[in-house]
Amino acid sequence: MAAIAATPRTLRASTMRQREQSVRKIQKKQPQKLNKKSQSKGLAPNTAPNRSGRVSPRKRKLAADGLPATQGRPPANLTPSKTSSATLHEDMSPDRPKRRRVGKPPTSTHDSAMAARASATTTSTAHNGHTNMVSNLASGIKAVQDEQELEAKCYVDEYVIPDVAGVFDAAWPISVTDRLCAAEYATTIHQRLEQFITPTVKPPAQAARGRVRSGRNVRRHCSQAAKALLRGSSTECGTQPAGTEAQLKDYSLLRRWVSLDSRLDGSDSMAAGAKEEICLWASAFIGFVADQLEVVATPKSHSAKPRRLIALNQLESAAAAANVDGCSCIDVAIATEVDSTSQVSESQIDGPCFKNAALSIGVKRFPSEQNRAYWQLAQRTHTLHSTQLNRRFAWGLTVCGTHVRACLFGNDDILASEVMNVATESGRKQLVTLLVNWAMCESQRLGYDPTIRYNGETGQWEIDVWDDESRVTHTYIHERTLFDTSSQFGRRTRCFIASAKENSGEQPVQKVLIKDAWAPTEFPGSEVVRDELSNLRTIRDKLGADDVLAGTYSHLEAGGVVQQMQTKQRTADDTTVSIFADIDSAVLEDVPDRIYRRVATTPVGEQLKSVRSVDELIVVVSDVMAAHTAIVRRCGILHRDLSTNNIMFCRDDDGMIRGLLIDFDNAVLQSDLHNEQRPDQIGTFPYMSIGNLEQSSVKRTALDDWESLIYILCWLGTIGINREDQTNVEIRSDLTICHWHDGSATNIAKAKRRTLQHSDLFGNEILACFAHPLLYANLARLILELRSQLFYNERLSSLAQGCIDFDPMYSSIRNAELRTHYLDCNIDTTVVDPFARRAEFADAIVDDLLRVVQKYRKAALERIKDAQISE
């Protein structure tokens, strides 16, 4: 046994051929020696004594149980290439796979290969089934990951503009003094960082072979010089202010991060470190810069006090386990101390959440996962926008191994910076400078909106609305958010219910509906393409004296372009041009310019799902369409976006209800529509008219909005008109009306044409599927009459009826009809599109439609009054 035990040391120094020969000799002699010694002592085969001549208790127990003593490795007389269940030792059962002792790895690569092959050949049927299940699960996860990778790549290709050099400049403070101070602070902190990490920085190749240390093993490598540097006791660091003992933290994690090989990809997971470790490393870097900034930033009357950057770290795996990519939680985020941009103080921050984060950080292990890091960061930034009331735009960081990129999220694109490689000195300097700039810059440069601020004394949010006409700022108190943005790109429209701050207490508080959005412009300095503010002023001036229509449309109280402070004495319009002023215009050539507008209107209405009955719904839509018609005819403005969100209602103290038409964001002057060669596709997708969906060349008229009203009423009838009815209804995906909501614009238009063309089909597939056919009977009758007047108006010939072009084979009937009294008798017979023929007589058809809704409104009011009397 002594000779056999010494054999491996002899083999290490031999050549390959000599090694193979020695192994073969040992394999021939070894079984005979073992069996002879075992039999001489009356032991079972393969239970040989050790060097001292004693048999171990483990071998005795295995022999008593009838198990081989070579548990954990294959028999020595078998080579890996010939190991099989047929040639195993006679005492080894082929149905019992050999198991390695838990926690004890194979003694060598040779033994590991032999054990793996022997185990593979002796695996039972049940074990094979478990392997297949694990394999299928792994393949399923891999398929999900591949799908996410493809989605991330498509997202990056569409939105991300990579390697934009000017992104770092967008974080510089506006003030020249603060900018100079930030540059000075960043240089000093970078020098301290290099002094701290230099003693332990190793070449990347050596660092990659080291094992990942954590916990106590990491803390032991924090040198006394580094601790003195953090205390500020060394001559290079200067004097540390009093009361900063909490800053004596262990930043040895920084050394692990900066010493990684920046060339690592997914092939070296041990050297790269786990995702949770990278989160800790990034947090340590941020904490180091924040602590040192407090030391080096001396109080100056002419410069701003730096904000404290707080790293929020999320290491719990429960939230990440719910999603393969871990997008449901924040890995790392940066928060700031309490000020006008925050609602909580540092002591109140108990963990990572979007309400506290100034920016989010997406973490991945390798640089090859950059696309997924962008995609993950974008999802969290969207939540950041919807969570924070005072968010204009957002910053973000992606950390992929040692590669760090800053991302600036605009309204239409994501501008990504060049790589900051923390494994290099230049990369660390860039990252330190960026963090210092974020700590020193004005709140609007960090993405916050100073015109929406949190008042710590009252615990309320205050919103400023600048009025362009009176040149006065009106301040309102936020009560609740009525509508939040559904996307981080585009107009990002939001609506708030607020009350006037200036109130003496003698008069009731006036509530307003505040709406802000980023409206596009054709080029810098031009008028807004769809100017809601101008439309609201026109409506107020022309309809303000009409008491009948009062309260049925949005009345402008104040509004204008949001003003941002450029200096202490000067303000400027808030636009994307000002946000990206430090970025090369060539990069933004295809990015549309936008302007930030905010309006306050009255009255404040309730959503449609709060109506109590079908009769109230009928009254609401009747009032809304009366206001719509007056706006079209007396103001020349077409709404173009009727939807369930834009139709609201107000309830008086006596319980009476009236409709309210809001949101003129997509409204245009009718005179502008005639100048368009092809009308654009505008509105809420499920409620768009057929012509709007198909982007036909037929001019848009009020009939398109009336058609949208039919789709709104049909949808409410199907899902329920209010919250109570909607909670008790389950929508089946096979319903015809679902084809009006899902699919491409072309398919939705085809589905609507097919259903509206025939009365029987419309009744059986739409009206018969209402949530409560008996309770909604009056609603169904109203819809039927609206459809009849819009698509089959008796004042028009058969060429102008229906939803399908007239068949030319009926030319004789067509010519006979055109000689009669129909309104369209003078239109050229070559026009066979019924939508085009009806558009020429939109005013006459609207009169018929108004008479229908007014008739049903009158009947509904009578039923409402009877119900109130009976109660």
Side-chain angles (χ1 to χ4, degrees), residues 372-420:
R372 296 186 68 184
Y374 283 137
W375 181 59
Q376 181 188 60
L377 181 64
Q379 289 182 321
R380 295 170 182 174
T381 303
H382 169 60
T383 309
L384 202 70
H385 274 287
S386 59
T387 305
Q388 298 182 357
L389 194 68
N390 56 340
R391 177 63 62 177
R392 295 166 56 235
F393 64 90
W395 285 92
L397 283 178
T398 62
V399 178
C400 299
T402 61
H403 289 188
V404 182
R405 283 181 170 88
C407 297
L408 181 59
F409 287 79
N411 294 78
D412 300 278
D413 292 282
I414 303 173
L415 306 182
S417 71
E418 298 171 328
V419 175
M420 296 176 284

Side-chain angles (χ1 to χ4, degrees), residues 41-115:
K41 290 185 175 289
L43 300 174
N46 284 334
T47 54
N50 54 22
R51 296 183 183 181
S52 63
R54 293 176 298 183
V55 179
S56 66
R58 175 178 173 273
K59 290 185 178 181
R60 288 184 181 276
K61 185 177 186 305
L62 292 174
D65 295 338
L67 297 177
T70 55
Q71 188 83 356
R73 62 173 131 179
N77 63 333
L78 294 178
T79 61
S81 60
K82 297 182 180 180
T83 304
S84 65
S85 60
T87 58
L88 293 174
H89 195 275
E90 59 182 358
D91 289 340
M92 301 233 3
S93 173
D95 295 332
R96 189 182 184 90
K98 293 176 291 182
R99 298 189 298 269
R100 178 173 58 85
R101 291 171 62 185
V102 177
K104 187 173 183 179
T107 57
S108 66
T109 306
H110 180 73
D111 291 341
S112 178
M114 293 175 64

Side-chain angles (χ1 to χ4, degrees), residues 719-739:
I719 68 171
I721 62 171
N722 51 33
R723 292 188 182 90
E724 182 180 356
D725 292 350
Q726 291 173 6
T727 55
N728 299 325
V729 174
E730 182 178 356
I731 305 300
R732 303 195 318 268
S733 59
D734 60 339
L735 293 178
T736 301
I737 198 170
C738 292
H739 299 302

Side-chain angles (χ1 to χ4, degrees), residues 233-250:
S233 59
S234 62
T235 57
E236 294 83 4
C237 297
T239 303
Q240 178 99 350
T244 57
E245 288 297 327
Q247 296 177 0
L248 303 180
K249 302 176 182 177
D250 185 1

